[in-house]
């Protein structure tokens, strides 16, 4: 094992012990170390880091900057144990990642998606029930893609209607109460699941037809397949509305409803932030500027507050 490989193992273990998942960055940093080993380089240099970061030529410059940022953080760690390490300057690749504008699904699009899920082919009959309920749960709760997939049966309280989300992004856990209609849908699915899959191989609440836990890859693949089928994406479109946009939809629809109902949004925004599992409330504030209709509602509220304070 090379010195860089040993240092990377220690670096990843230390950061993961602090609650960082580092799934993508961990894989990419291992590729960087392999790149360095193939080049016969035993310590990090600026030239090596930039060459590796810009190696994929068919991506956006922001991705180059992101790759270089991963190496910079690793280099800072290495500089404490190997004085030959050079930490690349932060402004070499100044491009920054910009969040794509959220796609706000219309009600009829949600209906078509769930109906299409009920028509999925199946061997035992469980698959359409699983995906229709799962996609409905995304719509109703705004959970991240992998969060309901990690739910075990004992983490879904079908009596009080509360989900226990454990150890997800940023290592945070939280309780997610659900609407009575969602609670009923989960109860119906549990009854159907237990009837169609009597001896599952997993304690997962949502099961594949083999009785195993669903993978994030299979869920995303099924979503894209159904998106093409119902016209959310064109026949040849590689990109389009995302599964994650269902999470955006919940946040934006909630904020718009609050503004229209005269709710003190500033006061209640931390509640939405906690429900969504955001690490910082600034992540929730982003929705106010990412959506023109929300931004307009926020400005109207500010103008109203100013008039009231002057009267």
């Amino acid at each position: 094992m090379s010195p860089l490989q040993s240092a990377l193992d220690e670096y990843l273990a230390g950061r993961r012990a602090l609650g960082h998942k580092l799934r993508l960055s961990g894989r990419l940093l291992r590729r960087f170390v392999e790149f360095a080993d193939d080049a016969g380089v035993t310590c990090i240099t600026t030239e090596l880091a930039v060459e590796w970061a810009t190696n994929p030529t068919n991506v956006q410059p922001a991705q180059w900057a992101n790759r270089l940022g991963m190496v910079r953080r690793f280099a800072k760690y290495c500089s404490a144990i190997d004085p030959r390490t050079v930490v690349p300057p932060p402004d070499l690749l100044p491009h920054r990642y910009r969040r794509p504008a959220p796609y706000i699904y219309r009600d009829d699009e949600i209906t078509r998606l769930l109906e299409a899920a009920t028509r999925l082919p199946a061997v035992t009959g469980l698959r359409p029930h699983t995906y229709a309920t799962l996609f409905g749960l995304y719509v109703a709760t705004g959970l991240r893609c992998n969060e309901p997939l990690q739910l075990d049966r004992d983490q879904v309280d079908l009596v009080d209607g509360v989900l226990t989300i454990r150890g997800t992004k940023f290592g945070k856990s939280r309780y997610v109460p659900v609407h009575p209609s969602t609670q009923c849908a989960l109860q119906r699915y549990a009854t159907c699941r237990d009837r169609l899959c009597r001896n599952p191989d997993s304690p997962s609440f949502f099961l594949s037809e083999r009785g195993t836990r669903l993978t994030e890859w299979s869920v995303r693949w099924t979503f894209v397949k159904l998106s093409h089928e119902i016209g959310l994406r064109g026949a040849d479109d590689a990109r389009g509305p995302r599964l994650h946009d269902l999470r955006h939809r919940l946040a934006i629809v909630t904020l718009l409803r609050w503004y229209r109902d005269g709710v003190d949004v500033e006061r209640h925004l931390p509640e939405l932030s906690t429900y969504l599992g955001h690490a910082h409330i600034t992540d929730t504030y982003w929705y106010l500027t990412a959506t023109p209709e929300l931004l307009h509602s926020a400005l109207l509220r500010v103008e109203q507050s100013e008039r009231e304070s002057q009267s």
Side-chain angles (χ1 to χ4, degrees), residues 99 102 255 282 284-296 298:
R99 286 184 174 186
L255 289 169
T282 51
T284 317
Y285 271 110
W286 172 75
Y287 290 108
L288 298 179
T289 57
T291 314
E293 188 175 359
L294 263 180
L295 183 59
H296 179 67

Side-chain angles (χ1 to χ4, degrees), residues 158 160-161 177-188:
L158 295 175
D160 295 322
V178 298
H179 190 271
S181 61
T182 304
Q183 181 182 348
C184 289
L186 294 174
Q187 289 173 331
R188 288 194 299 271

Side-chain angles (χ1 to χ4, degrees), residues 102-113 135 138-139 223-224 227 230-233 240-250 252-253:
Y103 181 85
I104 310 304
Y105 292 91
R106 301 191 308 270
D107 290 346
D108 67 292
E109 291 173 331
I110 297 295
T111 299
R112 296 206 312 272
L113 174 66
F135 291 151
Y138 286 130
V139 174
F223 172 77
V224 170
S227 295
I230 65 175
L232 277 174
R233 300 183 184 210
R242 304 166 302 162
L243 189 59
H244 195 73
D245 286 322
L246 293 174
R247 177 173 169 84
H248 293 326
R249 179 183 187 271
L250 177 93
I252 291 169
V253 168

Side-chain angles (χ1 to χ4, degrees), residues 6 14 21 29 33 39 66 69 88 90 97 108 129 131 163 167 183 248 267 277 279 282 286 302:
S6 298
K21 299 292 185 182
L29 284 173
V33 169
N66 188 43
Y97 170 75
D108 67 292
H129 294 287
Y131 278 98
L163 311 179
Q183 181 182 348
H248 293 326
R267 179 181 176 185
T282 51
W286 172 75
V302 170

Side-chain angles (χ1 to χ4, degrees), residues 1-103:
M1 181 180 292
S2 71
L4 274 179
Q5 287 175 327
S6 298
L8 179 59
D9 287 343
E10 295 172 0
Y11 170 75
L12 294 176
R15 293 202 64 196
R16 283 169 177 159
L18 296 174
H20 300 277
K21 299 292 185 182
L22 300 182
R23 292 192 184 95
L24 176 61
S25 57
R27 291 197 299 270
L28 290 178
L29 284 173
R30 292 202 182 280
R31 293 178 190 173
F32 168 72
V33 169
E34 292 171 0
F35 180 80
D37 290 344
D38 291 343
V41 179
T42 58
C43 64
I44 299 175
T45 65
T46 297
E47 294 76 13
L48 179 75
V50 172
E51 183 180 355
W52 176 80
T54 58
N55 184 263
T57 57
N58 59 340
V59 300
Q60 295 294 322
Q63 191 166 332
W64 293 342
N66 188 43
R67 287 162 63 92
L68 184 61
M70 295 176 188
V71 177
R72 286 191 72 253
R73 290 186 286 274
F74 177 44
K76 288 181 180 179
Y77 172 83
C78 291
S79 65
I81 57 179
D82 186 347
R84 299 176 302 160
T85 301
V86 177
V87 179
D91 57 351
L92 281 178
L93 300 174
H95 302 278
R96 292 187 176 181
Y97 170 75
R98 293 184 179 180
R99 286 184 174 186
Y103 181 85

Side-chain angles (χ1 to χ4, degrees), residues 227-228 231-239:
S227 295
H228 285 297
L232 277 174
R233 300 183 184 210
D236 300 322
D237 288 349
R239 297 180 181 275

